[in-house]
Amino acid sequence: MSAPAALPAATPAATLPILALMVNALVWGLSWWPFRLLHTTAGLHPLWATVLVFVLATLVLLAWRPGGLRQLATQPQLWILSLAAGSTNAAFNWGVSTGDVMRVVLLFYLMPLWSALFARVLLHERFTTRTVLRMVLALGGAAIVLKPPGADWPLPGSLSDWLGLFGGLCFAFNSVMLRRMAPHTREEGRAVAMLLGGILTAGALATLLSAGGSIAWPPAPQPQWLLVVGMLGGLFLVSNLAYQYGAARLPAAVTSVVMLTEVAFASGSSVAFGSAVLTPQVLLGGALIVAAAAMAALGPGRSGEAG
């Protein structure tokens, strides 16, 4: 996958999609705090919180655009998008709520590496020299972030690490599928599919884990945490619509780069609240990951050209 001719912000047609993606990045970059608050103070596991938040967001969207459900019933390919979006939401929310926020977000944002691979297979975008260099930088950054002191291999050291990696993989697939489906599906259908995915995927996993005793069932409803869930539902509805609007109108590589603003939102807030450890190792690895993603939009070549 090669880079666009110039930074998308330089073209007026790209301004609104980029701003929409930044709204999505802001919501997701700060969402770790209410999810963690629900988990630690109310005993509501992130998977169950995800289910409740997306139930509310889906009900509001269906009341506004009921046609989206009909599209989901008549266009089976939307279920692929639903599964990818649901897996992204479940993995990300669980990871940032229970682990080091900065590590999870950085591993999540290996997304440009996965986007390049998915775009090559699904969108037939060519690899270029810059693509390979981006992939090398991303893998190098991940290796630095993941390598614990005294260990020989840079492997994920916790469940939250794995969740960050898996969530980024699913998010990259989601971005590429949005581009592929955009000409053949309507926005409300894609939005309903993505929101329902959050309910079904997180709900199925939460039910299995709760039944097995690995996580707790949801606590009795209390006004305090129900209010937080309600606010999150509204925010995630807005962010979902903003994301699928922007990602459907920009190349997958550009989407990956714009969404990197989430790293700044998440890392800044998590360090400020003491939920991330800022070490030289994390900074170096994170810089390589961010540099790899930024190259996707800074290259001189157009799609399909060498560069």
Side-chain angles (χ1 to χ4, degrees), residues 263-279:
V263 176
F265 297 137
S267 60
S269 61
S270 61
V271 170
F273 285 94
S275 295
V277 179
L278 193 61
T279 66

Side-chain angles (χ1 to χ4, degrees), residues 103-227:
R103 281 176 63 90
V104 173
V105 171
L106 286 175
L107 294 175
F108 183 86
Y109 272 94
L110 284 173
M111 181 177 63
L113 169 63
W114 315 128
S115 291
L117 298 174
F118 286 134
R120 177 68 185 95
V121 174
L122 299 174
L123 302 179
H124 309 293
E125 295 182 5
R126 292 172 50 192
F127 281 159
T128 68
T129 303
R130 295 182 65 85
T131 305
V132 175
L133 179 57
R134 290 202 310 268
M135 295 170 73
V136 171
L137 283 174
L139 286 172
I144 293 173
V145 170
L146 287 173
K147 188 178 184 304
D152 294 329
W153 296 98
L155 297 174
S158 65
L159 175 61
S160 59
D161 283 353
W162 284 108
L163 290 169
L165 285 169
F166 180 70
L169 177 70
C170 294
F171 193 33
F173 182 69
N174 191 50
S175 296
V176 173
M177 290 306 296
L178 272 174
R179 286 279 294 166
R180 187 176 184 180
M181 293 181 181
H184 315 292
T185 57
R186 295 177 62 85
E187 288 183 1
E188 59 264 32
R190 297 193 299 269
V192 169
M194 292 169 66
L195 289 174
L196 277 179
I199 299 170
L200 299 176
T201 306
L205 183 56
T207 300
L208 287 173
L209 292 176
S210 294
S214 298
I215 68 173
W217 291 99
Q222 296 290 334
Q224 294 86 348
W225 66 260
L226 285 176
L227 177 61

